[in-house]
Amino acid sequence: MLTERQLTILQVIIDDFIDSAHPIGSRALSKKENLPYSAATIRNEMADLEELGFLEKTHTSSGRVPSEKGYRYYVDHLIGPIISPSPNEVTIIKNIIDDGFFEFEQIVQMSAEVLSKLTSYTSIILGPEMFETKLKQIQILPLSAHTAVAILVTNTGHVEHRSFSIPEKVRASDLEKMVNIMNDSLKGVPIVQLQEKLATEVAQLMKMYIDDFDTSFDYLKSVFLSEHPVKLYIGGKSNILMQPEFNDVDKIRSFFNMMEKEDEIANLLKNTKSGIEVTIGNENEVEAIKDLSLITASYHMEGDHMGTIALLGPTRMEYRKVITLLRGLSNEMTDALYMWYKNDDA
Amino acid sequence: MLTERQLTILQVIIDDFIDSAHPIGSRALSKKENLPYSAATIRNEMADLEELGFLEKTHTSSGRVPSEKGYRYYVDHLIGPIISPSPNEVTIIKNIIDDGFFEFEQIVQMSAEVLSKLTSYTSIILGPEMFETKLKQIQILPLSAHTAVAILVTNTGHVEHRSFSIPEKVRASDLEKMVNIMNDSLKGVPIVQLQEKLATEVAQLMKMYIDDFDTSFDYLKSVFLSEHPVKLYIGGKSNILMQPEFNDVDKIRSFFNMMEKEDEIANLLKNTKSGIEVTIGNENEVEAIKDLSLITASYHMEGDHMGTIALLGPTRMEYRKVITLLRGLSNEMTDALYMWYKNDDA
DNA sequence: ATTAGCACTCGGGTACATAGAGTGCTAACA
DNA sequence: TGTTAGCACTCTATGTACCCGAGTGCTAAT
């Protein structure tokens, strides 16, 4: 068990290191007011803390640096009261969301950028996932003799569209009929069930009305059932260049390499529980971010997990600030979702 | 005037330097088959070429490096026959475009990525601009009691949408009426004239039918007339980290800083004439890319400039390859545009 | 339990020597 | 007159030696 004094020293070291990125020496610590001990005393304590695994040295005679275990302890016990975001930050967040307009994707994108700007880390936002999203309307609009655009609208105001050219074989009138049938029978169906319903019930129905059913149907499927990938927004990839730990070209390269594997990152965020989660360095399962820390927060709609907001930065991260901010934003987003979609009449 | 031999030497030096990024010495050159001269002879020629401003030294006793003037001359006179893109590249380009589906924006985005991957430079695509784009349909779809989504489709299959909440004052039925009026009177109107027509003719018409005209109209305007910024797609920002000239963290920082000023970049590309243009280093007017080269190509629709494709890389760029590729792609895009929209019946 | 003192360690900066690549110039050559 | 061999010179890159300062660990005194 750590003594009170050890706790204080650990906390001060981590706070200082987070701030300065330089190893902390005993002399500097002994000058702090809340540590009225001599450098030698503090050295002894630091040696103990190192033995316990909370601190590390970069070389034999350097100052101390927090270990991952140290950060973990700090995050779990020493982080102090999570203050609410500063008024300034609150206004910034609120401004993004209370715009009168609400394109959720747009909000998510702006949030990613703002988060990154406020922290100088890289922000990643996943979602929203569309489990509860229902179909509102399907439309096919001819553009010219043999091209058209298909538009699909959900109850959340999400719009997907796809332009395509109509093969000779497929008759425009058939397409129209099919769309009508789809609208009649699929309105209000959750997006995730769309494919299934379309293949079974709706297909039955259509066969009765459409001449060259097979060709047209295959075609239709390819238009409407393209993957709906969960979207990933990344903000401030280059913001992280301001961190002193990215002082080396190779690190920068490997960081950017990693950021290009969007699906891997998406997976990382998908498996988060609700609430705020902090994974530090090697706690991360993905090789590429084993020397970074990831903080995730999820946002909800009526209890259902909708998506995840995350910040990725060096293990020397401003945990307190980031946790505060993420909590603020995820609450804001959860509230906003509720506000907008509670009167859902899809 | 340069002698035949000087030309050859200049060409070989630039070719080599583009390939290796290392200063070229006389000994290495004298070993080439097409330069059957001794190192001393070549040294003399190089000294002359330097005096003329085509070559530079990095320090007194280093090999030679092309100057910007050298690159300029190379691009204008020595670049050799612009071969057509390799069959491999052709297939790649064609695959992006002949997808059966054509979301122009999607194609543009993919093109940006592919271009960057093929060259290891950063690609920038501007456009397409919507001068000739005409309105196809406007639709407002209620989502819940007081929210709705507005969808605007153009004859090119471009879809803009915006969700918004309806203020108490504005009656849904009024909105609907207004949309009907707009559809009737604005169909086929070029997007760029939309705002003007709406404010004059259409507003007149509406006044006759709508009760609380002013509020509703103001509101409508804010929904539909949000800026239509010309879109900018950037591919392979981090690809450029593979270039040896980006071996220094500061350079990387300033490069990424520059890439964030999207409007500045957009301006850069807007002012290009048709055809292929190469600007080398200080020929660029924008400070931030004065040690890079930019190659632009524009694509058209029935003679009208629609947008610009560009590649940004070190002055030591594979000019021949890039010019080839850009020409290929811009032709492909021009063709594709023509194919899709020639039967335009908006 | 705390602290002062001291020997020790290591990184980073500076100075210096050396090797190698390349040049410029001169003189010899065809 | 154009070409080439030879040589002195220059500059970079690399390696080595050295010192300074910050910091530690340990011992002994308080």
Side-chain angles (χ1 to χ4, degrees):
Chain A
M1 196 47 207
L2 295 180
T3 68
E4 197 60 35
R5 194 168 67 188
Q6 283 174 322
L7 291 181
T8 318
I9 291 178
L10 183 56
Q11 180 166 34
V12 172
I13 289 179
I14 298 186
D15 278 336
D16 262 32
F17 183 71
I18 284 179
D19 190 56
S20 72
H22 295 299
I24 314 293
S26 54
R27 247 181 68 84
L29 284 184
S30 76
K31 283 182 190 149
K32 303 248 163 186
E33 337 189 301
N34 51 346
L35 287 177
Y37 308 99
S38 77
T41 311
I42 291 179
R43 273 205 290 285
N44 288 328
E45 297 285 32
M46 294 206 296
D48 289 349
L49 284 169
E50 181 174 1
E51 208 162 324
L52 291 167
F54 294 107
L55 294 180
E56 280 170 358
K57 283 188 285 194
T58 59
H59 59 233
T60 19
S61 72
S62 75
R64 297 307 204 291
V65 157
S67 69
E68 290 182 5
K69 184 175 172 188
Y71 283 123
R72 168 53 59 198
Y73 194 87
Y74 175 84
V75 168
D76 289 345
H77 303 107
L78 300 177
I79 201 164
I82 298 288
I83 38 163
S84 16
S86 80
N88 183 17
E89 290 164 353
V90 173
T91 4
I92 293 179
I93 292 178
K94 286 217 183 267
N95 275 347
I96 305 175
I97 291 179
D98 296 347
D99 198 0
F101 302 99
F102 61 100
E103 205 70 58
F104 203 82
E105 294 180 30
Q106 213 168 309
I107 288 175
V108 166
Q109 196 157 3
M110 286 179 62
S111 303
E113 254 143 57
V114 166
L115 259 189
S116 178
K117 207 162 273 172
L118 286 175
T119 60
S120 291
Y121 306 129
T122 296
S123 68
I124 310 171
I125 306 194
L126 181 74
E129 286 179 50
M130 292 302 175
F131 290 138
E132 280 305 306
T133 320
K134 291 163 192 157
L135 181 68
K136 187 90 199 178
Q137 180 195 266
I138 286 180
Q139 193 183 11
I140 289 189
L141 199 62
L143 295 173
S144 68
H146 49 271
T147 60
V149 53
I151 303 175
L152 184 152
V153 186
T154 71
N155 66 329
T156 57
H158 179 76
V159 176
E160 297 251 344
H161 60 101
R162 184 146 201 190
S163 305
F164 56 97
S165 46
I166 307 169
E168 299 293 336
K169 292 185 219 163
V170 177
R171 274 199 260 150
S173 62
D174 278 354
L175 272 185
E176 202 176 320
K177 270 192 224 163
M178 292 173 96
V179 171
N180 285 338
I181 295 175
M182 286 168 75
N183 265 319
D184 287 346
S185 47
L186 292 178
K187 205 166 276 187
V189 169
I191 296 294
V192 281
Q193 295 172 27
L194 216 58
Q195 181 146 17
E196 187 203 329
K197 284 231 169 173
L198 187 62
T200 57
E201 296 173 36
V202 183
Q204 295 298 335
L205 215 58
M206 283 181 180
K207 272 191 190 144
M208 298 165 53
Y209 295 94
I210 311 294
D211 290 343
D212 185 1
F213 171 77
D214 289 326
T215 322
S216 303
F217 187 69
D218 281 352
Y219 190 65
L220 193 74
K221 271 211 306 210
S222 72
V223 172
F224 278 104
L225 297 183
S226 56
E227 27 27 86
H228 290 261
V230 181
K231 285 195 182 152
L232 196 69
Y233 303 86
I234 300 183
K237 266 190 236 188
S238 55
N239 231 331
I240 211 164
L241 293 178
M242 294 173 39
Q243 299 298 333
E245 14 274 291
F246 286 82
N247 244 338
D248 158 33
V249 184
D250 282 335
K251 272 193 197 140
I252 297 180
R253 285 212 183 103
S254 78
F255 176 77
F256 279 102
N257 266 338
M258 187 225 16
M259 293 311 271
E260 297 205 332
K261 297 175 197 153
E262 299 216 342
D263 41 344
E264 215 170 292
I265 299 175
N267 271 329
L268 207 63
L269 297 200
K270 253 181 210 159
N271 302 324
T272 56
K273 299 158 207 121
S274 72
I276 296 212
E277 248 181 296
V278 180
T279 43
I280 298 164
N282 283 289
E283 295 173 7
N284 285 298
E285 302 203 340
V286 174
E287 191 62 40
I289 61 168
K290 278 203 186 301
D291 57 347
L292 300 175
S293 280
L294 180 73
I295 307 189
T296 62
S298 52
Y299 54 96
H300 314 266
M301 178 156 156
E302 295 177 355
D304 288 329
H305 178 271
M306 285 287 278
T308 308
I309 322 172
L311 274 168
L312 186 63
T315 47
R316 183 190 63 80
M317 217 186 196
E318 292 190 74
Y319 293 98
R320 193 180 299 128
K321 180 176 175 185
V322 168
I323 290 175
T324 306
L325 260 174
L326 281 186
R327 174 164 309 166
L329 182 59
S330 83
N331 286 345
E332 237 18 89
M333 282 171 86
T334 300
D335 288 357
L337 279 177
Y338 181 70
M339 283 284 291
W340 292 332
Y341 302 127
K342 65 181 169 184
N343 297 329
D344 199 346
D345 62 353
Chain B
M1 197 45 206
L2 294 180
T3 67
E4 198 60 35
R5 193 167 69 188
Q6 284 174 322
L7 291 180
T8 319
I9 290 178
L10 183 57
Q11 180 165 34
V12 172
I13 289 179
I14 298 186
D15 278 336
D16 262 31
F17 183 72
I18 285 179
D19 191 56
S20 72
H22 294 299
I24 313 292
S26 54
R27 246 182 68 86
L29 284 184
S30 76
K31 282 182 191 150
K32 304 247 165 188
E33 332 188 305
N34 52 346
L35 287 177
Y37 308 98
S38 76
T41 311
I42 291 179
R43 273 204 289 285
N44 288 329
E45 297 285 30
M46 294 207 294
D48 289 349
L49 284 168
E50 181 174 1
E51 208 162 328
L52 291 168
F54 295 107
L55 294 179
E56 280 170 358
K57 282 188 285 194
T58 58
H59 57 91
T60 20
S61 72
S62 75
R64 297 307 205 292
V65 156
S67 68
E68 290 182 3
K69 184 174 173 188
Y71 284 123
R72 168 52 60 199
Y73 193 87
Y74 175 83
V75 167
D76 290 345
H77 303 108
L78 300 177
I79 203 164
I82 297 287
I83 40 163
S84 16
S86 80
N88 184 16
E89 290 163 353
V90 172
T91 6
I92 293 178
I93 293 178
K94 286 219 183 268
N95 274 348
I96 305 174
I97 291 179
D98 295 348
D99 198 0
F101 302 98
F102 61 99
E103 204 69 58
F104 203 82
E105 294 179 29
Q106 213 168 307
I107 287 175
V108 165
Q109 197 157 2
M110 287 178 62
S111 304
E113 255 142 57
V114 166
L115 259 189
S116 177
K117 206 162 275 173
L118 285 175
T119 58
S120 290
Y121 305 130
T122 296
S123 68
I124 309 171
I125 306 195
L126 182 74
E129 286 179 51
M130 292 302 177
F131 290 138
E132 281 304 306
T133 321
K134 291 165 193 157
L135 182 68
K136 186 89 199 179
Q137 180 197 265
I138 287 179
Q139 192 184 11
I140 289 189
L141 199 61
L143 295 173
S144 68
H146 50 269
T147 61
V149 53
I151 303 174
L152 186 152
V153 187
T154 71
N155 65 329
T156 58
H158 179 77
V159 177
E160 298 251 344
H161 59 102
R162 185 147 202 191
S163 305
F164 56 97
S165 47
I166 308 169
E168 298 293 333
K169 293 185 217 164
V170 177
R171 276 198 260 150
S173 62
D174 278 355
L175 272 185
E176 203 177 317
K177 270 192 224 164
M178 291 172 94
V179 171
N180 285 338
I181 294 175
M182 285 167 75
N183 266 319
D184 287 347
S185 47
L186 292 179
K187 205 166 276 186
V189 170
I191 296 293
V192 281
Q193 294 173 26
L194 216 58
Q195 181 146 18
E196 188 202 330
K197 283 233 170 171
L198 187 62
T200 57
E201 295 173 37
V202 183
Q204 295 299 333
L205 215 56
M206 283 182 181
K207 271 192 192 145
M208 297 167 51
Y209 296 94
I210 311 293
D211 291 341
D212 186 0
F213 170 77
D214 288 326
T215 322
S216 304
F217 187 69
D218 282 353
Y219 190 65
L220 193 77
K221 269 208 309 208
S222 72
V223 172
F224 278 104
L225 297 181
S226 57
E227 25 28 86
H228 292 261
V230 181
K231 283 191 183 154
L232 196 69
Y233 303 85
I234 301 183
K237 267 189 234 188
S238 55
N239 230 331
I240 212 166
L241 293 177
M242 294 172 40
Q243 299 298 333
E245 15 273 290
F246 286 82
N247 243 338
D248 157 34
V249 184
D250 283 335
K251 272 193 198 142
I252 297 180
R253 285 214 182 103
S254 78
F255 176 76
F256 279 102
N257 267 338
M258 188 228 10
M259 292 313 270
E260 296 203 334
K261 298 176 196 151
E262 298 215 341
D263 41 344
E264 215 170 292
I265 299 175
N267 270 331
L268 206 62
L269 297 200
K270 254 180 210 159
N271 302 325
T272 56
K273 298 157 208 120
S274 71
I276 295 210
E277 247 181 296
V278 180
T279 44
I280 297 163
N282 284 290
E283 294 173 7
N284 285 298
E285 302 203 341
V286 174
E287 191 61 39
I289 60 169
K290 279 203 185 303
D291 56 348
L292 300 175
S293 280
L294 181 73
I295 306 190
T296 63
S298 51
Y299 55 96
H300 313 266
M301 176 157 158
E302 295 177 355
D304 288 328
H305 178 271
M306 285 287 279
T308 308
I309 323 173
L311 274 168
L312 185 63
T315 46
R316 182 190 64 81
M317 218 186 197
E318 291 190 74
Y319 293 98
R320 193 179 301 128
K321 178 176 176 187
V322 168
I323 290 175
T324 305
L325 259 175
L326 281 186
R327 175 165 309 166
L329 183 59
S330 84
N331 285 346
E332 263 334 298
M333 283 172 84
T334 300
D335 288 356
L337 279 176
Y338 181 71
M339 281 286 289
W340 293 332
Y341 302 126
K342 65 180 171 186
N343 296 330
D344 199 347
D345 63 352

